[in-house]
Short mmCIF file of all heavy atoms in Angstrom, two decimals:
data_model
loop_
_atom_site.label_atom_id
_atom_site.label_comp_id
_atom_site.label_asym_id
_atom_site.label_seq_id
_atom_site.Cartn_x
_atom_site.Cartn_y
_atom_site.Cartn_z
N MET A 95 -40.13 30.92 -50.84
CA MET A 95 -40.25 31.78 -49.65
C MET A 95 -41.03 33.04 -50.02
O MET A 95 -40.64 33.79 -50.92
CB MET A 95 -38.86 32.15 -49.14
CG MET A 95 -38.89 32.94 -47.84
SD MET A 95 -37.23 33.26 -47.19
CE MET A 95 -36.98 34.95 -47.72
N ALA A 96 -42.12 33.25 -49.37
CA ALA A 96 -42.94 34.43 -49.61
C ALA A 96 -42.76 35.43 -48.47
O ALA A 96 -42.44 35.06 -47.35
CB ALA A 96 -44.41 34.03 -49.71
N LEU A 97 -42.97 36.65 -48.81
CA LEU A 97 -42.87 37.70 -47.79
C LEU A 97 -44.28 38.15 -47.39
O LEU A 97 -45.19 38.22 -48.22
CB LEU A 97 -42.09 38.91 -48.32
CG LEU A 97 -40.58 38.71 -48.45
CD1 LEU A 97 -39.97 39.93 -49.12
CD2 LEU A 97 -39.94 38.48 -47.10
N THR A 98 -44.42 38.42 -46.13
CA THR A 98 -45.68 38.94 -45.62
C THR A 98 -45.39 40.23 -44.85
O THR A 98 -44.24 40.52 -44.54
CB THR A 98 -46.37 37.90 -44.71
OG1 THR A 98 -47.64 38.39 -44.35
CG2 THR A 98 -45.57 37.60 -43.46
N THR A 99 -46.43 40.96 -44.57
CA THR A 99 -46.25 42.24 -43.88
C THR A 99 -46.47 42.07 -42.38
O THR A 99 -47.48 41.51 -41.96
CB THR A 99 -47.23 43.29 -44.43
OG1 THR A 99 -47.04 43.37 -45.84
CG2 THR A 99 -46.99 44.64 -43.82
N CYS A 100 -45.54 42.56 -41.61
CA CYS A 100 -45.68 42.51 -40.15
C CYS A 100 -46.84 43.42 -39.73
O CYS A 100 -46.88 44.59 -40.11
CB CYS A 100 -44.38 42.97 -39.49
SG CYS A 100 -44.52 43.15 -37.69
N PRO A 101 -47.80 42.89 -38.96
CA PRO A 101 -48.94 43.72 -38.54
C PRO A 101 -48.56 44.78 -37.50
O PRO A 101 -49.32 45.71 -37.26
CB PRO A 101 -49.91 42.70 -37.93
CG PRO A 101 -49.07 41.55 -37.53
CD PRO A 101 -47.89 41.50 -38.48
N ASP A 102 -47.39 44.64 -36.92
CA ASP A 102 -47.01 45.58 -35.86
C ASP A 102 -46.20 46.75 -36.41
O ASP A 102 -46.51 47.91 -36.14
CB ASP A 102 -46.22 44.83 -34.79
CG ASP A 102 -46.21 45.56 -33.47
OD1 ASP A 102 -47.27 46.12 -33.12
OD2 ASP A 102 -45.17 45.59 -32.80
N CYS A 103 -45.15 46.44 -37.22
CA CYS A 103 -44.28 47.52 -37.71
C CYS A 103 -44.37 47.69 -39.22
O CYS A 103 -43.69 48.54 -39.77
CB CYS A 103 -42.83 47.25 -37.29
SG CYS A 103 -42.06 45.88 -38.18
N ALA A 104 -45.23 46.85 -39.88
CA ALA A 104 -45.45 46.93 -41.33
C ALA A 104 -44.20 46.62 -42.13
O ALA A 104 -44.10 47.00 -43.30
CB ALA A 104 -46.03 48.29 -41.72
N GLY A 105 -43.23 45.94 -41.53
CA GLY A 105 -42.03 45.54 -42.25
C GLY A 105 -42.25 44.24 -43.01
O GLY A 105 -43.22 43.53 -42.77
N GLN A 106 -41.34 43.93 -43.94
CA GLN A 106 -41.43 42.70 -44.73
C GLN A 106 -40.79 41.56 -43.95
O GLN A 106 -39.64 41.65 -43.53
CB GLN A 106 -40.71 42.89 -46.07
CG GLN A 106 -41.40 43.88 -46.98
CD GLN A 106 -42.74 43.38 -47.49
OE1 GLN A 106 -42.82 42.40 -48.19
NE2 GLN A 106 -43.81 44.05 -47.07
N VAL A 107 -41.58 40.50 -43.75
CA VAL A 107 -41.13 39.36 -42.97
C VAL A 107 -41.40 38.09 -43.77
O VAL A 107 -42.43 37.99 -44.44
CB VAL A 107 -41.89 39.28 -41.62
CG1 VAL A 107 -41.25 38.22 -40.72
CG2 VAL A 107 -41.90 40.63 -40.92
N SER A 108 -40.50 37.13 -43.71
CA SER A 108 -40.72 35.83 -44.33
C SER A 108 -41.92 35.15 -43.68
O SER A 108 -42.12 35.22 -42.47
CB SER A 108 -39.49 34.95 -44.16
OG SER A 108 -39.80 33.60 -44.48
N ASP A 109 -42.73 34.46 -44.52
CA ASP A 109 -43.89 33.76 -43.96
C ASP A 109 -43.48 32.53 -43.14
O ASP A 109 -44.30 31.92 -42.48
CB ASP A 109 -44.88 33.37 -45.06
CG ASP A 109 -44.28 32.42 -46.07
OD1 ASP A 109 -43.06 32.17 -46.00
OD2 ASP A 109 -45.02 31.92 -46.92
N LYS A 110 -42.20 32.19 -43.20
CA LYS A 110 -41.70 31.08 -42.38
C LYS A 110 -41.00 31.56 -41.10
O LYS A 110 -40.55 30.75 -40.29
CB LYS A 110 -40.73 30.22 -43.19
CG LYS A 110 -41.42 29.43 -44.29
CD LYS A 110 -40.45 28.57 -45.06
CE LYS A 110 -41.16 27.71 -46.09
NZ LYS A 110 -41.85 28.52 -47.12
N ALA A 111 -40.93 32.87 -40.93
CA ALA A 111 -40.27 33.42 -39.75
C ALA A 111 -41.13 33.19 -38.52
O ALA A 111 -42.36 33.26 -38.58
CB ALA A 111 -40.01 34.91 -39.94
N ILE A 112 -40.48 32.89 -37.40
CA ILE A 112 -41.20 32.70 -36.15
C ILE A 112 -41.68 34.05 -35.62
O ILE A 112 -42.78 34.17 -35.09
CB ILE A 112 -40.29 32.02 -35.10
CG1 ILE A 112 -39.94 30.61 -35.58
CG2 ILE A 112 -40.95 31.97 -33.74
CD1 ILE A 112 -38.81 29.96 -34.83
N ALA A 113 -40.83 35.07 -35.78
CA ALA A 113 -41.18 36.40 -35.30
C ALA A 113 -40.59 37.43 -36.25
O ALA A 113 -39.66 37.14 -36.99
CB ALA A 113 -40.65 36.62 -33.88
N CYS A 114 -41.15 38.63 -36.23
CA CYS A 114 -40.64 39.72 -37.05
C CYS A 114 -39.22 40.06 -36.58
O CYS A 114 -39.01 40.30 -35.39
CB CYS A 114 -41.55 40.93 -36.91
SG CYS A 114 -40.90 42.41 -37.70
N PRO A 115 -38.23 40.07 -37.50
CA PRO A 115 -36.85 40.38 -37.08
C PRO A 115 -36.67 41.83 -36.66
O PRO A 115 -35.72 42.17 -35.96
CB PRO A 115 -36.02 40.05 -38.33
CG PRO A 115 -36.97 40.17 -39.47
CD PRO A 115 -38.33 39.78 -38.93
N ALA A 116 -37.59 42.70 -37.09
CA ALA A 116 -37.45 44.12 -36.78
C ALA A 116 -38.00 44.46 -35.40
O ALA A 116 -37.37 45.19 -34.64
CB ALA A 116 -38.14 44.96 -37.84
N CYS A 117 -39.18 43.93 -35.07
CA CYS A 117 -39.84 44.32 -33.82
C CYS A 117 -40.13 43.14 -32.91
O CYS A 117 -40.56 43.34 -31.77
CB CYS A 117 -41.13 45.07 -34.12
SG CYS A 117 -42.44 44.02 -34.79
N GLY A 118 -39.90 41.90 -33.38
CA GLY A 118 -40.11 40.75 -32.52
C GLY A 118 -41.55 40.30 -32.44
O GLY A 118 -41.88 39.43 -31.62
N TYR A 119 -42.41 40.84 -33.28
CA TYR A 119 -43.82 40.44 -33.25
C TYR A 119 -43.95 38.97 -33.65
O TYR A 119 -43.38 38.57 -34.65
CB TYR A 119 -44.62 41.32 -34.21
CG TYR A 119 -46.11 41.10 -34.12
CD1 TYR A 119 -46.86 41.84 -33.24
CD2 TYR A 119 -46.74 40.14 -34.90
CE1 TYR A 119 -48.22 41.64 -33.14
CE2 TYR A 119 -48.10 39.93 -34.81
CZ TYR A 119 -48.84 40.68 -33.92
OH TYR A 119 -50.18 40.48 -33.82
N PRO A 120 -44.67 38.14 -32.87
CA PRO A 120 -44.80 36.71 -33.20
C PRO A 120 -45.59 36.50 -34.48
O PRO A 120 -46.72 36.97 -34.59
CB PRO A 120 -45.52 36.13 -31.98
CG PRO A 120 -46.22 37.28 -31.35
CD PRO A 120 -45.39 38.50 -31.64
N MET A 121 -44.98 35.79 -35.44
CA MET A 121 -45.59 35.62 -36.76
C MET A 121 -46.18 34.22 -36.97
O MET A 121 -46.87 33.98 -37.93
CB MET A 121 -44.55 35.87 -37.85
CG MET A 121 -43.92 37.23 -37.79
SD MET A 121 -45.08 38.59 -38.02
CE MET A 121 -45.50 38.38 -39.75
N MET A 122 -45.88 33.28 -36.09
CA MET A 122 -46.30 31.89 -36.31
C MET A 122 -47.81 31.72 -36.29
O MET A 122 -48.34 30.82 -36.93
CB MET A 122 -45.68 30.98 -35.23
CG MET A 122 -44.21 30.72 -35.45
SD MET A 122 -43.84 29.90 -37.02
CE MET A 122 -44.15 28.20 -36.57
N GLN A 123 -48.52 32.56 -35.56
CA GLN A 123 -49.97 32.40 -35.45
C GLN A 123 -50.70 32.94 -36.67
O GLN A 123 -51.85 32.63 -36.89
CB GLN A 123 -50.48 33.12 -34.19
CG GLN A 123 -50.02 32.44 -32.91
CD GLN A 123 -50.20 33.33 -31.70
OE1 GLN A 123 -50.07 34.54 -31.78
NE2 GLN A 123 -50.51 32.74 -30.56
N THR A 124 -50.02 33.73 -37.48
CA THR A 124 -50.68 34.30 -38.65
C THR A 124 -50.51 33.35 -39.83
O THR A 124 -49.41 33.03 -40.24
CB THR A 124 -50.07 35.67 -38.99
OG1 THR A 124 -48.70 35.50 -39.28
CG2 THR A 124 -50.23 36.63 -37.85
N LYS A 125 -51.60 32.87 -40.38
CA LYS A 125 -51.58 31.94 -41.51
C LYS A 125 -52.22 32.63 -42.71
O LYS A 125 -53.43 32.85 -42.73
CB LYS A 125 -52.34 30.67 -41.15
CG LYS A 125 -51.69 29.87 -40.02
CD LYS A 125 -50.42 29.16 -40.49
CE LYS A 125 -49.81 28.34 -39.36
NZ LYS A 125 -48.49 27.84 -39.70
N GLY A 126 -51.41 32.96 -43.70
CA GLY A 126 -51.93 33.53 -44.93
C GLY A 126 -52.71 34.82 -44.70
O GLY A 126 -52.22 35.74 -44.08
N LYS A 127 -53.95 34.83 -45.21
CA LYS A 127 -54.75 36.04 -45.15
C LYS A 127 -55.53 36.18 -43.85
O LYS A 127 -56.07 37.23 -43.55
CB LYS A 127 -55.74 36.07 -46.33
CG LYS A 127 -55.03 36.29 -47.67
CD LYS A 127 -56.01 36.38 -48.81
CE LYS A 127 -55.32 36.85 -50.09
NZ LYS A 127 -54.28 35.90 -50.52
N SER A 128 -55.63 35.08 -43.06
CA SER A 128 -56.37 35.15 -41.80
C SER A 128 -55.43 35.66 -40.71
O SER A 128 -55.13 34.97 -39.75
CB SER A 128 -56.95 33.80 -41.43
OG SER A 128 -55.90 32.86 -41.28
N ALA A 129 -54.95 36.88 -40.89
CA ALA A 129 -53.98 37.44 -39.96
C ALA A 129 -54.65 38.02 -38.72
O ALA A 129 -54.03 38.09 -37.66
CB ALA A 129 -53.15 38.53 -40.64
N TRP A 130 -55.89 38.41 -38.83
CA TRP A 130 -56.54 39.10 -37.70
C TRP A 130 -56.66 38.25 -36.44
O TRP A 130 -56.27 38.72 -35.38
CB TRP A 130 -57.91 39.62 -38.13
CG TRP A 130 -57.82 41.03 -38.61
CD1 TRP A 130 -57.83 41.48 -39.89
CD2 TRP A 130 -57.67 42.20 -37.79
NE1 TRP A 130 -57.69 42.84 -39.93
CE2 TRP A 130 -57.60 43.31 -38.67
CE3 TRP A 130 -57.59 42.40 -36.41
CZ2 TRP A 130 -57.45 44.61 -38.18
CZ3 TRP A 130 -57.43 43.70 -35.94
CH2 TRP A 130 -57.37 44.78 -36.82
N PRO A 131 -57.18 37.00 -36.52
CA PRO A 131 -57.29 36.21 -35.28
C PRO A 131 -55.94 35.99 -34.62
O PRO A 131 -55.82 36.10 -33.40
CB PRO A 131 -57.91 34.89 -35.75
CG PRO A 131 -58.58 35.22 -37.04
CD PRO A 131 -57.75 36.30 -37.67
N GLY A 132 -54.92 35.69 -35.44
CA GLY A 132 -53.59 35.47 -34.87
C GLY A 132 -53.04 36.73 -34.24
O GLY A 132 -52.44 36.70 -33.18
N MET A 133 -53.27 37.84 -34.90
CA MET A 133 -52.79 39.12 -34.39
C MET A 133 -53.46 39.45 -33.06
O MET A 133 -52.81 39.82 -32.10
CB MET A 133 -53.10 40.21 -35.41
CG MET A 133 -52.49 41.56 -35.06
SD MET A 133 -52.73 42.69 -36.43
CE MET A 133 -53.45 44.06 -35.59
N LEU A 134 -54.77 39.25 -33.01
CA LEU A 134 -55.51 39.52 -31.77
C LEU A 134 -55.04 38.56 -30.67
O LEU A 134 -54.87 38.96 -29.53
CB LEU A 134 -57.01 39.36 -32.00
CG LEU A 134 -57.65 40.47 -32.85
CD1 LEU A 134 -59.10 40.13 -33.14
CD2 LEU A 134 -57.56 41.81 -32.12
N GLY A 135 -54.84 37.29 -31.06
CA GLY A 135 -54.37 36.31 -30.09
C GLY A 135 -52.99 36.68 -29.56
O GLY A 135 -52.74 36.56 -28.37
N GLY A 136 -52.12 37.14 -30.45
CA GLY A 136 -50.79 37.53 -30.02
C GLY A 136 -50.83 38.71 -29.08
O GLY A 136 -50.17 38.71 -28.05
N VAL A 137 -51.63 39.70 -29.40
CA VAL A 137 -51.75 40.89 -28.54
C VAL A 137 -52.34 40.49 -27.19
O VAL A 137 -51.84 40.87 -26.14
CB VAL A 137 -52.62 41.96 -29.23
CG1 VAL A 137 -52.94 43.09 -28.26
CG2 VAL A 137 -51.90 42.50 -30.45
N ALA A 138 -53.41 39.67 -27.22
CA ALA A 138 -54.06 39.26 -25.97
C ALA A 138 -53.10 38.41 -25.14
O ALA A 138 -53.01 38.59 -23.93
CB ALA A 138 -55.33 38.47 -26.28
N GLY A 139 -52.38 37.51 -25.80
CA GLY A 139 -51.43 36.66 -25.07
C GLY A 139 -50.34 37.48 -24.42
O GLY A 139 -50.00 37.26 -23.27
N THR A 140 -49.81 38.45 -25.13
CA THR A 140 -48.78 39.30 -24.58
C THR A 140 -49.32 40.10 -23.41
O THR A 140 -48.68 40.21 -22.36
CB THR A 140 -48.26 40.28 -25.66
OG1 THR A 140 -47.82 39.51 -26.78
CG2 THR A 140 -47.12 41.13 -25.13
N TYR A 141 -50.54 40.62 -23.55
CA TYR A 141 -51.13 41.44 -22.48
C TYR A 141 -51.36 40.60 -21.24
O TYR A 141 -51.01 41.00 -20.14
CB TYR A 141 -52.46 42.01 -22.99
CG TYR A 141 -53.14 42.90 -21.99
CD1 TYR A 141 -52.64 44.17 -21.70
CD2 TYR A 141 -54.28 42.48 -21.31
CE1 TYR A 141 -53.25 44.99 -20.79
CE2 TYR A 141 -54.90 43.29 -20.40
CZ TYR A 141 -54.39 44.55 -20.13
OH TYR A 141 -55.01 45.34 -19.21
N ILE A 142 -51.93 39.38 -21.43
CA ILE A 142 -52.25 38.52 -20.29
C ILE A 142 -50.97 38.09 -19.58
O ILE A 142 -50.88 38.14 -18.37
CB ILE A 142 -53.08 37.30 -20.75
CG1 ILE A 142 -54.48 37.77 -21.15
CG2 ILE A 142 -53.17 36.25 -19.65
CD1 ILE A 142 -55.25 36.78 -21.99
N SER A 143 -49.96 37.68 -20.36
CA SER A 143 -48.73 37.22 -19.73
C SER A 143 -48.04 38.37 -19.01
O SER A 143 -47.49 38.19 -17.93
CB SER A 143 -47.82 36.59 -20.76
OG SER A 143 -47.48 37.53 -21.75
N ALA A 144 -48.10 39.58 -19.59
CA ALA A 144 -47.50 40.73 -18.93
C ALA A 144 -48.21 41.01 -17.61
O ALA A 144 -47.58 41.28 -16.59
CB ALA A 144 -47.57 41.96 -19.85
N GLN A 145 -49.54 40.93 -17.63
CA GLN A 145 -50.31 41.14 -16.40
C GLN A 145 -49.96 40.08 -15.36
O GLN A 145 -49.84 40.38 -14.18
CB GLN A 145 -51.81 41.07 -16.72
CG GLN A 145 -52.33 42.25 -17.48
CD GLN A 145 -52.38 43.50 -16.62
OE1 GLN A 145 -51.48 44.33 -16.65
NE2 GLN A 145 -53.40 43.63 -15.82
N ALA A 146 -49.81 38.81 -15.81
CA ALA A 146 -49.48 37.73 -14.89
C ALA A 146 -48.12 37.96 -14.26
O ALA A 146 -47.95 37.78 -13.05
CB ALA A 146 -49.51 36.40 -15.64
N VAL A 147 -47.14 38.40 -15.07
CA VAL A 147 -45.80 38.66 -14.55
C VAL A 147 -45.85 39.78 -13.51
O VAL A 147 -45.26 39.68 -12.44
CB VAL A 147 -44.85 39.02 -15.71
CG1 VAL A 147 -43.53 39.59 -15.19
CG2 VAL A 147 -44.57 37.80 -16.57
N VAL A 148 -46.60 40.83 -13.81
CA VAL A 148 -46.73 41.96 -12.88
C VAL A 148 -47.36 41.48 -11.57
O VAL A 148 -46.91 41.82 -10.48
CB VAL A 148 -47.56 43.09 -13.52
CG1 VAL A 148 -47.94 44.13 -12.48
CG2 VAL A 148 -46.78 43.75 -14.64
N SER A 149 -48.40 40.64 -11.68
CA SER A 149 -49.08 40.13 -10.49
C SER A 149 -48.13 39.29 -9.65
O SER A 149 -48.09 39.43 -8.43
CB SER A 149 -50.28 39.28 -10.90
OG SER A 149 -51.21 40.08 -11.59
N ILE A 150 -47.35 38.43 -10.31
CA ILE A 150 -46.42 37.55 -9.58
C ILE A 150 -45.36 38.39 -8.88
O ILE A 150 -45.05 38.16 -7.71
CB ILE A 150 -45.79 36.53 -10.55
CG1 ILE A 150 -46.86 35.52 -11.00
CG2 ILE A 150 -44.61 35.82 -9.90
CD1 ILE A 150 -46.47 34.73 -12.24
N VAL A 151 -44.81 39.38 -9.59
CA VAL A 151 -43.75 40.22 -9.02
C VAL A 151 -44.30 41.02 -7.85
O VAL A 151 -43.71 41.07 -6.77
CB VAL A 151 -43.16 41.15 -10.11
CG1 VAL A 151 -42.26 42.20 -9.48
CG2 VAL A 151 -42.39 40.33 -11.13
N LEU A 152 -45.46 41.64 -8.04
CA LEU A 152 -46.06 42.44 -6.97
C LEU A 152 -46.41 41.55 -5.77
O LEU A 152 -46.19 41.93 -4.62
CB LEU A 152 -47.33 43.13 -7.48
CG LEU A 152 -47.09 44.42 -8.28
CD1 LEU A 152 -48.41 44.98 -8.78
CD2 LEU A 152 -46.39 45.48 -7.42
N GLY A 153 -46.93 40.37 -6.04
CA GLY A 153 -47.27 39.43 -4.97
C GLY A 153 -46.04 39.05 -4.17
O GLY A 153 -46.07 39.04 -2.93
N SER A 154 -44.94 38.76 -4.86
CA SER A 154 -43.69 38.38 -4.19
C SER A 154 -43.16 39.54 -3.35
O SER A 154 -42.74 39.34 -2.20
CB SER A 154 -42.64 37.98 -5.24
OG SER A 154 -43.11 36.89 -6.01
N VAL A 155 -43.21 40.75 -3.90
CA VAL A 155 -42.71 41.92 -3.18
C VAL A 155 -43.56 42.16 -1.93
O VAL A 155 -43.03 42.43 -0.84
CB VAL A 155 -42.72 43.17 -4.10
CG1 VAL A 155 -42.48 44.44 -3.31
CG2 VAL A 155 -41.67 43.01 -5.20
N MET A 156 -44.87 42.04 -2.07
CA MET A 156 -45.77 42.26 -0.93
C MET A 156 -45.52 41.21 0.16
O MET A 156 -45.49 41.53 1.35
CB MET A 156 -47.23 42.20 -1.39
CG MET A 156 -47.64 43.40 -2.23
SD MET A 156 -47.58 44.96 -1.36
CE MET A 156 -49.08 44.84 -0.39
N MET A 157 -45.35 39.95 -0.26
CA MET A 157 -45.07 38.87 0.70
C MET A 157 -43.77 39.15 1.44
O MET A 157 -43.69 39.01 2.66
CB MET A 157 -44.94 37.53 -0.05
CG MET A 157 -46.26 36.95 -0.49
SD MET A 157 -46.94 35.78 0.70
CE MET A 157 -45.78 34.42 0.53
N PHE A 158 -42.75 39.56 0.69
CA PHE A 158 -41.43 39.83 1.28
C PHE A 158 -41.51 41.00 2.25
O PHE A 158 -40.98 40.96 3.36
CB PHE A 158 -40.43 40.11 0.16
CG PHE A 158 -39.01 40.22 0.65
CD1 PHE A 158 -38.28 39.09 0.97
CD2 PHE A 158 -38.41 41.47 0.80
CE1 PHE A 158 -36.98 39.19 1.43
CE2 PHE A 158 -37.11 41.57 1.27
CZ PHE A 158 -36.39 40.43 1.57
N ALA A 159 -42.23 42.06 1.84
CA ALA A 159 -42.37 43.24 2.68
C ALA A 159 -43.12 42.88 3.97
O ALA A 159 -42.72 43.30 5.06
CB ALA A 159 -43.11 44.34 1.92
N PHE A 160 -44.18 42.09 3.83
CA PHE A 160 -44.97 41.69 5.01
C PHE A 160 -44.11 40.85 5.96
O PHE A 160 -44.11 41.08 7.18
CB PHE A 160 -46.19 40.88 4.54
CG PHE A 160 -47.10 40.49 5.66
CD1 PHE A 160 -47.91 41.43 6.28
CD2 PHE A 160 -47.15 39.17 6.09
CE1 PHE A 160 -48.75 41.08 7.31
CE2 PHE A 160 -47.99 38.81 7.13
CZ PHE A 160 -48.79 39.75 7.75
N ALA A 161 -43.34 39.91 5.40
CA ALA A 161 -42.46 39.07 6.21
C ALA A 161 -41.41 39.93 6.92
O ALA A 161 -41.13 39.72 8.11
CB ALA A 161 -41.79 38.02 5.33
N ALA A 162 -40.84 40.89 6.21
CA ALA A 162 -39.82 41.76 6.79
C ALA A 162 -40.40 42.57 7.94
O ALA A 162 -39.77 42.73 9.00
CB ALA A 162 -39.26 42.69 5.71
N ILE A 163 -41.62 43.08 7.77
CA ILE A 163 -42.27 43.87 8.82
C ILE A 163 -42.53 42.98 10.05
O ILE A 163 -42.29 43.38 11.19
CB ILE A 163 -43.58 44.48 8.28
CG1 ILE A 163 -43.26 45.59 7.27
CG2 ILE A 163 -44.44 45.04 9.43
CD1 ILE A 163 -44.45 46.02 6.43
N MET A 164 -43.01 41.77 9.82
CA MET A 164 -43.29 40.84 10.91
C MET A 164 -42.02 40.48 11.67
O MET A 164 -42.00 40.45 12.91
CB MET A 164 -43.94 39.55 10.36
CG MET A 164 -45.35 39.77 9.86
SD MET A 164 -46.50 40.39 11.12
CE MET A 164 -46.71 38.92 12.11
N ILE A 165 -40.93 40.22 10.92
CA ILE A 165 -39.65 39.87 11.56
C ILE A 165 -39.15 41.05 12.38
O ILE A 165 -38.71 40.90 13.52
CB ILE A 165 -38.63 39.43 10.48
CG1 ILE A 165 -39.03 38.06 9.91
CG2 ILE A 165 -37.22 39.37 11.06
CD1 ILE A 165 -38.35 37.72 8.59
N ALA A 166 -39.24 42.27 11.81
CA ALA A 166 -38.80 43.47 12.51
C ALA A 166 -39.61 43.66 13.79
O ALA A 166 -39.07 44.03 14.84
CB ALA A 166 -38.92 44.68 11.59
N ALA A 167 -40.90 43.41 13.72
CA ALA A 167 -41.77 43.56 14.88
C ALA A 167 -41.41 42.55 15.96
O ALA A 167 -41.40 42.87 17.16
CB ALA A 167 -43.23 43.40 14.45
N ILE A 168 -41.10 41.33 15.56
CA ILE A 168 -40.75 40.27 16.52
C ILE A 168 -39.40 40.57 17.16
O ILE A 168 -39.23 40.46 18.38
CB ILE A 168 -40.75 38.90 15.80
CG1 ILE A 168 -42.18 38.50 15.42
CG2 ILE A 168 -40.12 37.84 16.70
CD1 ILE A 168 -42.25 37.39 14.40
N VAL A 169 -38.42 40.99 16.34
CA VAL A 169 -37.06 41.23 16.83
C VAL A 169 -37.05 42.42 17.80
O VAL A 169 -36.42 42.37 18.86
CB VAL A 169 -36.10 41.46 15.65
CG1 VAL A 169 -34.75 41.99 16.13
CG2 VAL A 169 -35.91 40.15 14.88
N SER A 170 -37.76 43.48 17.44
CA SER A 170 -37.79 44.66 18.31
C SER A 170 -38.78 44.40 19.43
O SER A 170 -38.92 45.09 20.33
CB SER A 170 -38.17 45.89 17.49
OG SER A 170 -39.47 45.74 16.97
ZN1 LIG B 207 -42.45 43.93 -37.06
#
């Protein structure tokens, strides 16, 4: 078992760990010394998924608000 350095918090993490136990940074994409592509992929993946979640939540809220306004208009 070898230890590697977490690119996010610089803590010592097992090279077999799925994620950094200290900060949760995903470690599976980093293979040996080619840590940069995996690190960039992890950051990009997190950013894109976060944006997608925000879009879905905002979309749902907007749909609900629009429906509520339409129902209120019809009822009144
Ligand atoms: Zn970490």
Side-chain angles (χ1 to χ4, degrees):
M95 185 176 100
L97 287 174
T98 186
T99 305
C100 173
D102 201 39
C103 71
Q106 293 292 296
V107 189
S108 167
D109 62 352
K110 291 181 176 62
I112 295 166
C114 172
C117 71
Y119 188 90
M121 302 298 291
M122 285 299 278
Q123 292 165 326
T124 61
K125 296 287 181 190
K127 290 183 170 62
S128 60
W130 267 102
M133 187 172 128
L134 289 174
V137 171
T140 304
Y141 182 72
I142 289 163
S143 60
Q145 288 288 98
V147 167
V148 168
S149 297
I150 290 163
V151 169
L152 279 177
S154 301
V155 169
M156 289 297 283
M157 284 266 291
F158 187 77
F160 183 74
I163 290 165
M164 290 301 287
I165 289 164
I168 291 164
V169 168
S170 63

